[in-house]
């Protein structure tokens, strides 16, 4: 007896052209046979694979460059900082108000530069030393909330967490990802607004879909892509919202390394929902 079901196989003809042959049962005694010439398809596929490989190589050499450059930049910066310190301690009396102001600007700028360099180093290192384990996200989120309790209490905020799944992934990366998104939700709020952060997930066929929803200031449509780029900040007034502009770029990189996608939906003035997928392994 022949088993009823669709099947397909590929073969090459005498001129080495490739075909896919497909047999689809129409009824108990009729089968439809179709064939598809796939040489062009194969060519495109192999070109795509090659391009992907090139892109990966370019990306990793770019990351290596970022790592080396940022590492080497620290040396001259330490010299600047060191001499500013010496100058301040030994020659402060010789400076008038403008001179002191200038020196303080140099000090502030070099501190900012140091933070940027450390940020680039951290960003370029993401993805090295990945250890994949089973991560219980309920435990991860418990730890994060404990660490953020100070700011949550200060802002009279609330972090609501549904029951989360266990996933296969890098515990450190996943923690950084959730923590950055929650911290942003707590931070980008209107004056005196009590932050409410909702964390939920949906189980899809091949992946988990997570949502981190806040009731914050929201993001305008034209800025939704820009915020995931390195050092892109919509709020540069450090006295209101402090930050490095690397949080979301790091989140983006972590999600991509896991094979997922990260995006944001927002109503300006009302709040934002950051969503990301994590493929089931
Ligand atoms: P940082 O917070 O250090 O500035 P991020 O990369 O985390 O850097 O975020 C980039 C920018 O995106 C922020 O400067 C802010 O303008 C905007 N942003 C991030 N998260 C939110 C949020 N939940 N609500 C509103 N704006 C946000």
């Amino acid at each position: 007896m022949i088993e009823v079901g669709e099947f397909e196989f590929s073969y090459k003809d005498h001129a080495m052209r490739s075909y896919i042959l497909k047999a689809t049962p129409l009824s108990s005694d009729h089968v439809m046979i179709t064939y598809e010439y796939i040489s062009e398809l194969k060519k495109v596929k192999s070109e795509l694979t090659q391009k992907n490989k090139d892109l990966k190589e370019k990306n990793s050499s770019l990351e290596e460059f970022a790592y080396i450059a940022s590492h080497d930049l620290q040396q001259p910066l330490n010299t600047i900082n060191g001499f500013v310190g010496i100058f301040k301690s030994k020659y402060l009396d010789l400076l008038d108000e403008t001179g002191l102001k200038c020196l303080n600007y140099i000090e502030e700028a070099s501190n900012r530069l140091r933070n940027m360099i450390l940020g680039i180093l951290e960003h370029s290192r993401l993805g090295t030393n990945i250890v994949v384990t089973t991560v219980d996200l309920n435990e991860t989120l418990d730890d994060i909330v404990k660490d953020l309790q100070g700011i949550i209490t200060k802002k009279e905020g609330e972090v609501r967490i549904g029951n989360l799944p266990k996933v296969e992934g890098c515990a450190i990366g996943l923690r950084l990802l959730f923590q950055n998104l929650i911290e942003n939700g707590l931070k980008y709020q209107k004056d005196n607004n009590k932050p409410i952060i909702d964390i939920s997930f949906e189980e899809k066929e091949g992946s988990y879909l997570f949502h981190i929803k806040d009731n914050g200031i929201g993001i305008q449509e034209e800025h939704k892509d820009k915020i995931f780029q390195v050092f892109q900040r919509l709020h540069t007034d450090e006295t209101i919202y402090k930050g490095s502009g690397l949080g979301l770029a790091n989140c983006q990189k972590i999600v991509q390394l896991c094979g997922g996608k990260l995006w944001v939906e927002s109503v300006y003035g009302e709040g934002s929902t950051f969503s990301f997928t994590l493929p089931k392994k």
Side-chain angles (χ1 to χ4, degrees):
M1 182 173 142
I2 299 171
E3 204 177 305
V4 177
E6 193 172 287
F7 71 93
E8 65 176 50
F9 68 94
S10 52
Y11 81 99
K12 286 191 170 94
D13 66 11
H14 61 281
M16 297 308 279
R17 287 176 299 211
S18 301
Y19 296 86
I20 289 179
L21 252 187
K22 203 168 173 181
T24 314
L26 297 177
S27 64
S28 57
D29 49 3
H30 282 86
V31 174
M32 179 175 70
I33 307 281
T34 53
Y35 72 94
E36 189 186 349
Y37 175 54
I38 57 160
S39 278
E40 212 31 56
L41 200 72
K42 266 195 155 173
K43 208 174 125 211
V44 173
K45 233 179 169 179
S46 97
E47 278 172 11
L48 214 67
T49 312
Q50 186 56 42
K51 277 195 179 133
N52 249 338
K53 204 173 144 230
D54 291 350
L55 207 68
K56 269 193 187 148
E57 276 166 15
K58 275 190 187 136
N59 257 344
S60 78
S61 56
L62 211 65
E63 276 168 15
E64 203 176 321
F65 170 75
Y67 177 80
I68 293 167
S70 47
H71 191 263
D72 290 356
L73 284 173
Q74 286 190 85
Q75 192 51 46
L77 193 62
N78 288 341
T79 310
I80 296 173
N81 273 339
F83 278 100
V84 167
I86 293 171
F87 206 89
K88 268 191 156 176
S89 66
K90 288 204 169 175
Y91 305 104
L92 204 61
D93 300 345
L94 302 175
L95 295 172
D96 61 5
E97 203 182 325
T98 316
L100 187 60
K101 241 186 190 168
C102 292
L103 207 59
N104 284 338
Y105 281 140
I106 297 173
E107 200 172 29
E108 276 169 30
S110 67
N111 284 338
R112 264 204 313 279
L113 191 56
R114 167 179 289 142
N115 287 337
M116 287 168 95
I117 290 171
L118 291 176
I120 298 174
L121 265 174
E122 191 189 329
H123 184 73
S124 64
R125 274 187 194 148
L126 283 175
T128 53
N129 302 326
I130 291 185
V131 182
V132 175
T133 52
T134 304
V135 183
D136 184 342
L137 290 175
N138 297 298
E139 288 172 10
T140 308
L141 268 291
D142 263 4
D143 287 347
I144 294 173
V145 170
K146 267 183 212 144
D147 283 356
L148 297 178
Q149 200 53 59
I151 179 87
I152 296 170
T153 310
K154 189 174 162 208
K155 293 200 160 199
E156 296 180 58
E158 212 183 314
V159 180
R160 300 171 179 163
I161 308 167
N163 190 31
L164 299 175
K166 285 183 183 164
V167 296
E168 295 299 310
C170 171
I172 297 173
L174 289 169
R175 190 196 156 115
L176 201 63
L177 169 64
F178 277 99
Q179 181 157 336
N180 273 332
L181 295 175
I182 296 170
E183 271 183 318
N184 278 352
L186 294 166
K187 177 165 65 169
Y188 294 106
Q189 290 281 340
K190 285 156 274 177
D191 260 355
N192 301 322
N193 201 38
K194 292 179 182 165
I196 298 175
I197 318 291
D198 267 302
I199 299 159
S200 60
F201 88 103
E202 295 170 52
E203 187 159 2
K204 303 278 179 190
E205 203 180 310
S207 62
Y208 294 107
L209 171 59
F210 295 90
H211 306 288
I212 285 91
K213 181 172 181 275
D214 66 54
N215 59 338
I217 54 177
I219 298 158
Q220 280 158 305
E221 190 63 37
E222 64 264 34
H223 294 138
K224 280 184 185 167
D225 293 331
K226 180 177 156 182
I227 54 170
F228 294 101
Q229 291 166 20
V230 170
F231 296 136
Q232 289 294 334
R233 307 196 67 220
L234 306 179
H235 306 93
T236 44
D237 186 345
E238 285 280 316
T239 54
I240 308 176
Y241 302 114
K242 276 194 190 327
S244 65
L246 276 167
L248 288 178
N250 286 344
C251 290
Q252 177 84 288
K253 191 168 171 187
I254 293 166
V255 173
Q256 280 172 356
L257 284 166
C258 294
K261 269 187 169 181
L262 166 69
W263 68 95
V264 65
E265 276 155 33
S266 184
V267 179
Y268 189 54
E270 286 186 24
S272 312
T273 303
F274 285 83
S275 303
F276 62 88
T277 55
L278 288 181
K280 291 179 187 168
K281 294 279 152 70

